[in-house]
Amino acid sequence: MSQPPSTPDPAAVAALERFKAQRVTAIYRLDLIAKGAVISYEDGTPVDMASEKARLEQMVADMDRRIAQLERTLG
C-alpha cells in the first residue's frame, strides 16, 4: 500500500518564510551600505562598514545554503 503524499508542517513552512524575510532584510542592508550608508553604535562610535558588509555577505551566503536545504527537506 502506498503512502499518501505528505504535506509540509505548517510551522516549518512559516519558519522558512520568516528566515527568507530575514535574508531580504540582510540584502536590503547590503544595498544601503553600497549606497554609502553609515551605521553608528548607540554611543555614537561608527561601525566599520567594510567589516559589516563582509559579515552581511557571509550571512546571506549561509542563509542561501540553509534555505535551499530547508526547501529540499520540505519538498
Side-chain angles (χ1 to χ4, degrees):
M1 190 155 79
S2 67
Q3 295 283 336
S6 63
T7 57
D9 175 20
V13 172
L16 176 59
E17 292 305 315
R18 283 191 304 274
F19 194 62
K20 286 180 178 181
Q22 291 173 347
R23 179 186 174 275
V24 169
T25 299
I27 290 171
Y28 175 73
R29 289 179 180 175
L30 279 169
D31 184 55
L32 290 175
I33 290 170
K35 292 177 180 176
V38 178
I39 303 170
S40 298
Y41 293 104
E42 289 180 17
D43 67 359
T45 306
V47 171
D48 175 7
M49 297 311 289
S51 295
E52 182 66 5
K53 179 182 178 206
R55 184 187 73 80
L56 287 169
E57 288 171 340
Q58 290 173 348
M59 181 190 316
V60 169
D62 180 59
M63 290 175 135
D64 287 343
R65 286 187 294 274
R66 292 172 63 188
I67 288 168
Q69 181 182 18
L70 289 168
E71 288 177 336
R72 284 191 301 272
T73 302
L74 293 175

